[in-house]
């Protein structure tokens, strides 16, 4: 089994992947695990059948995660519906993405491009992160926050317009089962 998927499985369930029947049943029953298994499989090879299944699942559950995105180990999809990640986005290890969040491209202006997200980052429900910006390590982006500027490490971003509050261990209690 792919090491990145094993990390994703651990982050989403809190259990290590052993390849048991129980593990396989969880993958079959939980659509976020099923999607990530196919996504990680497609990352390694260009298989048409896997691409078709992945496309079908993305339309069914609204998980529009581009295969052109670079995603580190231990991705957690919380309440996984309507999550969008654009092509070219770089996401670090131990990142939480929640329902309705968008990590997308800005097409014009001085921030044209896609974001780069660090390690141990929590992106809340309906949060939007756009543009050629950098999100540092240990950052919590609160629900319904619009971020189109660089965010330093160890901070919490709240509101619209967003405000940065510096805090050590900003994601403590939110980003769990780290790999």
């Amino acid at each position: 089994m792919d090491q990145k998927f094993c990390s994703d499985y651990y982050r989403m369930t809190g259990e290590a992947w052993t390849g048991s029947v129980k593990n396989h049943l969880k993958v079959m029953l939980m659509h976020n695990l099923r999607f990530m298994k196919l996504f990680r499989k497609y990352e390694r090879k260009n298989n048409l059948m896997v691409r078709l299944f992945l496309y079908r699942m993305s339309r069914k559950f609204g998980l529009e995660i581009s295969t052109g995105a670079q995603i580190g180990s231990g991705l957690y999809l919380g309440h996984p519906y309507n999550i969008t990640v654009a092509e070219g986005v770089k996401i670090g290890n131990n990142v939480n993405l929640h329902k309705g969040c968008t990590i997308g491209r800005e097409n014009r202006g001085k921030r044209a491009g896609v974001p780069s997200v660090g390690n141990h980052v929590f992106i809340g429900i309906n949060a939007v992160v756009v543009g050629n910006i950098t999100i540092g390590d240990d950052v919590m982006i609160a629900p319904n926050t619009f971020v189109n500027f660089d965010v330093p490490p160890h901070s919490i971003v709240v509101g619209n317009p967003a405000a940065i509050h510096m805090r050590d261990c900003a994601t403590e209690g939110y980003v769990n089962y780290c790999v």
Side-chain angles (χ1 to χ4, degrees):
M1 186 61 56
D2 181 40
Q3 185 61 36
K4 282 187 175 180
F5 175 72
C6 293
S7 300
D8 298 337
Y9 182 86
Y10 176 69
R11 290 280 333 279
M12 288 191 238
T13 64
E15 300 172 2
W17 177 266
T18 59
S20 67
V21 173
K22 179 182 174 186
N23 292 152
H24 287 287
L25 281 174
K26 278 190 179 180
V27 170
M28 295 304 293
L29 295 175
M30 296 174 66
H31 70 274
N32 54 347
L33 288 172
R34 210 171 12 176
F35 179 85
M36 284 311 297
K37 184 175 182 182
L38 283 173
F39 181 84
R40 295 299 188 187
K41 192 173 196 176
Y42 178 65
E43 266 185 337
R44 291 179 299 167
K45 12 176 155 162
N46 192 359
N47 184 327
L48 181 62
M49 288 305 292
V50 173
R51 285 182 75 182
L52 289 173
F53 283 129
L54 193 59
Y55 178 79
R56 182 178 176 274
M57 287 186 74
S58 22
R59 294 301 168 240
K60 185 175 181 181
F61 300 116
L63 291 168
E64 297 178 29
I65 301 175
S66 172
T67 54
Q70 298 173 13
I71 299 176
S73 298
L75 181 67
Y76 176 89
L77 301 175
H79 305 290
Y81 293 96
N82 303 322
I83 295 172
T84 302
V85 177
E87 186 169 344
V89 170
K90 295 176 184 168
I91 297 178
N93 299 326
N94 299 314
V95 173
N96 289 19
L97 301 179
H98 291 275
K99 181 179 181 178
C101 76
T102 299
I103 304 174
R105 171 177 305 281
E106 192 168 309
N107 291 325
R108 59 182 178 213
K110 62 183 177 183
R111 289 184 300 270
V114 293
S116 177
V117 179
N119 301 320
H120 300 280
V121 175
F122 176 95
I123 300 178
I125 296 171
N126 294 327
V128 177
V129 179
V130 294
N132 185 12
I133 62 172
T134 301
I135 306 295
D137 296 341
D138 187 37
V139 171
M140 179 179 178
I141 298 175
N144 297 317
T145 301
F146 179 79
V147 180
N148 65 347
F149 52 85
D150 290 339
V151 178
H154 310 292
S155 56
I156 297 174
V157 185
V158 181
N160 189 3
I164 297 175
H165 303 281
M166 301 304 288
R167 180 160 305 150
D168 287 337
C169 302
T171 58
E172 185 176 7
Y174 290 94
V175 177
N176 300 318
Y177 304 120
C178 294
V179 293

